[in-house]
Amino acid sequence: MFGPHTLVGEIGFFFHVRRTATVRIEAEAIVWALDQETYQRIYKSEPGQAAALLTYVVQLQGERLSFTTRQIAALQR
């Protein structure tokens, strides 16, 4: 389960593939979407912002991988 201020859909977005999961919200939420065309415009006009987004995605993926690794280790005990 994810909480506020999370990011989903990054695998499909960056690898140009179909989504790998379905998201369901359990409470009211504000959802923002970023399409490839808009991302490319940001990348060209505001490279610092595009770099900040990529940094956030890498950090988030690192946290998720670390969490998953800990879960697998706990299950193997």
Side-chain angles (χ1 to χ4, degrees):
M1 180 176 296
F2 298 110
H5 309 287
T6 195
L7 178 82
V8 296
E10 68 279 5
I11 294 171
F13 183 84
F14 286 106
F15 289 102
H16 306 281
V17 297
R18 293 179 54 92
R19 61 187 168 81
T20 59
T22 298
V23 176
R24 184 183 71 195
I25 61 168
E26 295 181 347
E28 191 172 314
I30 297 172
V31 178
W32 294 81
L34 178 65
D35 59 54
Q36 286 291 331
E37 183 180 323
T38 303
Y39 175 75
Q40 289 303 319
R41 276 200 319 267
I42 294 169
Y43 182 80
K44 291 175 185 172
S45 65
E46 299 288 338
Q49 294 296 322
L53 174 61
L54 291 176
T55 298
Y56 178 71
V57 170
V58 169
Q59 289 173 337
L60 180 65
Q61 287 296 318
E63 290 169 7
R64 289 177 181 171
L65 181 58
S66 177
F67 176 77
T68 301
T69 301
R70 287 191 309 272
Q71 283 187 315
I72 291 169
L75 291 171
Q76 290 176 336
R77 291 184 199 149

